[in-house]
Amino acid sequence: MNLNIKSDKAQTYDAIVVGSGMTGGMAAKELTERGLKVLMLERGYELKHVEDYKTAMKDPWEFEHRGKITNLAAEEHYASMYFSAKEGTQYLYTNDAENPYIQKRPFNWIRAYHTGGKSLLWGKQSYRWNREDFLANAKQGLGVEWPIGYDDLVPWYDYVEKFVGVSGQAEGLDVLPDGKFLPPMAMTAPELHLKKSVGQKLNRPITIGRVAHLTKPQPWHTALGRATCQFRNRCSRGCPFGAYFSSLAATIPAARQTNRLTIVHNAIVKEILLDSQGQKAKGVRVIDQNTMEVREFYAKVIFLNAGTIGSTSILMNSKSSRFPTGLGNDSDQLGRNLMDHHLSVGARADIEGFEDDYYFGARPNALYIPRFRNWGNDKRSYLRGFGYQGGASRADWSRGAAETGFGADFKAKMTQPGPWKINLSGFGEVLPDPNNRFYLSEDQTDKWGLPKVVFDADFGENERAMRKDIMNDGAEMLEAAGFKNVVPYDNAVAHMGLGIHEMGTARMGKDPKTSVLNKFNQVHACKNVFVTDGSAMTSASNVNPSITYMALTARAAKHAVDQLKARSL
């Protein structure tokens, strides 16, 4: 027998983090700062902060197609992106044609396979869950009970918000708990009018969006090279100022400062390797996406942060005599209860009477209307609720594409701010449903020989009933403000995945018979494997989930290090 002991030692770390996005970056930061030698495995190519943001400083006229992707790219390469991919951002999205998946029912799987992942493309909206979000499943007998409550996450919300830098306004609302905020961005004049009107006539609060942009950088932000938001609203091309939070701008640099982080790119994790007893993880097997070389890496602890579908796929593909249907799948819950937020429903209107009002720059933020349905004394025919994001702004030069005219006068007109418009777009909670799921194909593989993902999920009657209220309530609020030409809308082609908030598929819970992860995000039956991205979620709330993912990750990382020190892992 030939044992390459020296080679194994060189590939051994204290911890392996799979994924470099929102939670992968946070896991790497926390684990390295707590003294562990960490290997981060990223399945995509290396993208360097600032120098690889190749469209960040371009003006509209510098794009060959004036910002739109070509029809060929839209139909064949970026079909799942729908509204997201633009000429300036498409290089950050994963090509669907090269990374195909199967849709038994329609699902938009939007991916970003490179350093930083979707942390470069997220909406930055950062809201804490409220107490009821953690209690609703148990009260309503849906899914399983959360193994933690709001109070368990409060110190970790505080900790993460401070590091990330979240701009917002404290409001003292139970439905939308306050956090550790940087100064809020300003509302426009029509938004302030809407806030006043809706508050007086409908008793619904409106606040400025709580968003992960630096409005007043603190010393720990500038120490990482981050600076104040420039109000350019070109965030999705990458921010050379590091003003919005991404793992490339914040968590990965923080982890690198410890000199304990190693990153390997183009490394697709195929499966988790178990020890000889088959009870404990010892490492991972990866495939180089370019050379097809197969390698193994070893560690005491493994954090899966490859995204909801990516992390659960790795567990599903990690089959053994102990786990014949996938690592940690004793409960048969792997892949089930796939959730998202439903959107593309709301109302819009024209605004008159504010023609002399302007605003500074291009604010990369929206206003936010917290959930008011099924809250307090309000009771509806459906369960849970929704919030709104949107705002009022003036049409820019691009409105000229829909207007007739030519010549100097027309051009001069387009240089002036256009009329005010407002849009309110609802974000609704999707209930956990074991029939909403994904699984791995038994007969179709990708070019790396891995089973293709098959999606089988859709909105149910509860979500469809909720959408009627989202549309009508949005119109009601715009009418309460006296805005004109109010148009309620519901985009019928919107289906799961478009919210880009995929959650569930390896849920946390108290009982190993009905859940995959325990209260510290450890796989019940293999406790040195942690899963802290969206796959861990037991329900979905109606607010953007990323700050909750990061709070869970930081909490789990501390627990992992404590357990290692106690020799319990």
Side-chain angles (χ1 to χ4, degrees):
M1 178 182 294
N2 296 314
L3 293 177
N4 192 346
I5 302 298
K6 186 179 295 184
S7 177
D8 283 357
K9 187 176 181 180
Q11 307 292 359
T12 300
Y13 299 80
D14 295 324
I16 291 173
V17 174
V18 181
S20 66
M22 195 72 71
T23 60
M26 184 59 69
K29 170 190 175 295
E30 292 301 308
L31 294 170
T32 54
E33 289 183 345
R34 294 178 186 279
L36 300 194
K37 179 184 171 188
V38 172
L39 171 67
M40 174 182 279
L41 295 170
E42 167 52 53
R43 68 168 292 157
Y45 62 90
E46 181 177 12
L47 187 81
K48 295 179 180 176
H49 183 47
V50 183
E51 64 185 275
D52 285 340
Y53 300 153
K54 55 189 178 184
T55 62
M57 305 306 287
K58 281 190 173 182
D59 286 309
W61 52 86
E62 296 181 86
F63 291 100
E64 182 179 1
H65 302 100
R66 298 298 182 263
K68 291 186 176 181
I69 58 174
T70 64
N71 290 337
L72 176 64
E75 294 172 2
E76 296 188 2
H77 296 171
Y78 303 100
S80 71
M81 311 315 172
Y82 186 52
F83 55 81
S84 298
K86 308 293 182 186
E87 194 173 14
T89 62
Q90 64 183 25
Y91 76 100
L92 294 174
Y93 289 93
T94 295
N95 187 316
D96 291 334
E98 295 176 356
N99 298 271
Y101 59 94
I102 300 167
Q103 301 175 71
K104 190 172 181 180
R105 288 185 282 177
F107 191 94
N108 291 72
W109 189 17
I110 298 174
R111 294 157 287 175
Y113 292 159
H114 49 68
T115 326
K118 288 187 285 190
S119 77
L120 288 173
L121 299 164
W122 68 310
K124 281 75 75 179
Q125 296 289 309
S126 302
Y127 304 97
R128 294 186 179 198
W129 282 31
N130 60 49
R131 293 182 187 281
E132 287 299 314
D133 287 328
F134 290 96
L135 299 172
N137 274 8
K139 287 183 176 179
Q140 297 166 349
L142 277 171
V144 296
E145 181 180 0
W146 273 88
I148 60 173
Y150 177 70
D151 288 338
D152 293 304
L153 276 192
V154 167
W156 298 102
Y157 275 132
D158 291 349
Y159 177 77
V160 168
E161 287 165 347
K162 181 180 175 184
F163 176 77
V164 166
V166 178
S167 160
Q169 177 67 55
E171 300 282 1
L173 303 171
D174 290 339
V175 72
L176 195 71
D178 295 329
K180 301 295 183 184
F181 297 139
L182 299 175
M185 296 181 179
M187 286 187 180
T188 62
E191 290 169 349
L192 290 169
H193 173 73
L194 177 71
K195 175 184 172 73
K196 182 178 179 180
S197 301
V198 171
Q200 292 177 342
K201 297 178 181 178
L202 300 172
N203 193 30
R204 296 171 190 167
I206 298 178
T207 189
I208 187 66
R210 296 170 177 177
V211 65
H213 287 264
L214 298 182
T215 51
K216 185 178 181 182
Q218 300 300 301
W220 52 90
H221 300 132
T222 55
L224 296 171
R226 301 182 63 195
T228 306
C229 177
Q230 305 294 301
F231 278 51
R232 302 179 337 133
N233 200 17
R234 297 177 179 177
C235 317
S236 54
R237 303 184 201 167
C239 181
F241 306 94
Y244 78 76
F245 173 84
S246 71
S247 56
L248 268 184
T251 45
I252 290 176
R256 280 184 165 140
Q257 286 183 350
T258 68
N259 293 318
R260 299 190 187 99
L261 177 66
T262 300
I263 305 179
V264 174
H265 290 87
N266 304 306
I268 301 173
V269 175
K270 177 185 178 184
E271 60 187 314
I272 294 173
L273 305 171
L274 299 180
D275 64 9
S276 56
Q277 286 75 43
Q279 302 291 328
K280 188 175 179 180
K282 67 174 184 179
V284 297
R285 181 171 291 133
V286 309
I287 303 170
D288 186 291
Q289 74 160 341
N290 297 319
T291 67
M292 305 296 282
E293 178 188 8
V294 176
R295 303 170 68 187
E296 293 182 357
F297 298 95
Y298 308 99
K300 303 168 189 171
V301 170
I302 296 170
F303 270 66
L304 290 184
N305 301 100
T308 293
I309 310 304
S311 291
T312 298
S313 294
I314 292 169
L315 292 173
M316 287 178 169
N317 213 37
S318 302
K319 297 178 180 178
S320 63
S321 57
R322 166 64 184 87
F323 300 107
T325 62
L327 179 60
N329 197 26
D330 295 342
S331 61
D332 188 34
Q333 291 302 309
L334 272 185
R336 297 189 183 277
N337 301 290
L338 177 60
M339 298 170 286
D340 189 17
H341 288 140
H342 59 101
L343 72 172
S344 288
V345 56
R348 55 180 172 265
D350 298 329
I351 300 173
E352 297 177 356
F354 293 87
E355 286 73 18
D356 293 332
D357 288 288
Y358 300 92
Y359 48 87
F360 169 74
R363 186 188 67 192
N365 195 7
L367 56 77
Y368 190 76
I369 302 175
R371 170 183 169 183
F372 50 84
R373 290 302 182 202
N374 287 322
W375 190 262
N377 294 324
D378 184 82
K379 304 297 177 188
R380 316 301 291 177
S381 61
Y382 53 84
L383 299 173
R384 313 290 169 96
F386 53 87
Y388 290 93
Q389 296 173 32
S393 60
R394 303 191 72 157
D396 62 15
W397 59 271
S398 63
R399 70 186 188 279
E403 294 184 14
T404 56
F406 66 95
D409 290 344
F410 181 76
K411 291 179 180 178
K413 180 182 175 183
M414 291 303 108
T415 65
Q416 300 302 309
W420 283 96
K421 305 279 186 181
I422 188 167
N423 178 60
L424 298 180
S425 180
F427 279 66
E429 180 167 356
V430 174
L431 298 177
D433 178 351
N435 297 312
N436 280 340
R437 61 182 299 204
F438 85 88
Y439 52 92
L440 301 183
S441 173
E442 296 181 354
D443 55 8
Q444 294 189 49
T445 59
D446 60 21
K447 63 181 179 182
W448 299 283
L450 298 174
K452 287 184 180 178
V453 167
V454 183
F455 288 102
D456 185 7
D458 197 1
F459 300 132
E461 290 303 317
N462 198 75
E463 289 79 27
R464 282 187 272 273
M466 188 186 296
R467 292 178 77 86
K468 294 176 183 175
D469 263 6
I470 296 175
M471 187 172 62
N472 294 331
D473 290 349
E476 178 186 39
M477 289 187 284
L478 296 178
E479 288 170 350
F483 296 150
K484 307 297 182 184
N485 305 319
V486 175
V487 178
Y489 62 87
D490 184 353
N491 186 348
V493 302
H495 39 69
M496 287 186 70
L498 274 180
I500 326 179
H501 293 165
E502 55 265 30
M503 288 176 264
T505 71
R507 66 186 179 190
M508 297 169 70
K510 294 181 176 179
D511 188 348
K513 294 179 181 177
T514 58
S515 59
V516 178
L517 308 174
N518 69 12
K519 65 180 180 180
F520 286 108
N521 295 78
Q522 296 167 279
V523 173
H524 281 299
C526 190
K527 287 191 169 49
N528 66 334
V529 176
F530 293 74
V531 186
T532 67
D533 53 27
S535 49
M537 305 303 277
T538 305
S539 59
S541 179
N542 67 282
V543 298
N544 303 56
S546 294
I547 202 76
T548 299
Y549 298 168
M550 288 191 277
L552 287 169
T553 301
R555 179 175 179 268
K558 180 182 185 302
H559 182 73
V561 174
D562 289 346
Q563 292 293 294
L564 284 173
K565 290 178 179 176
R567 300 182 182 277
S568 298
L569 288 179

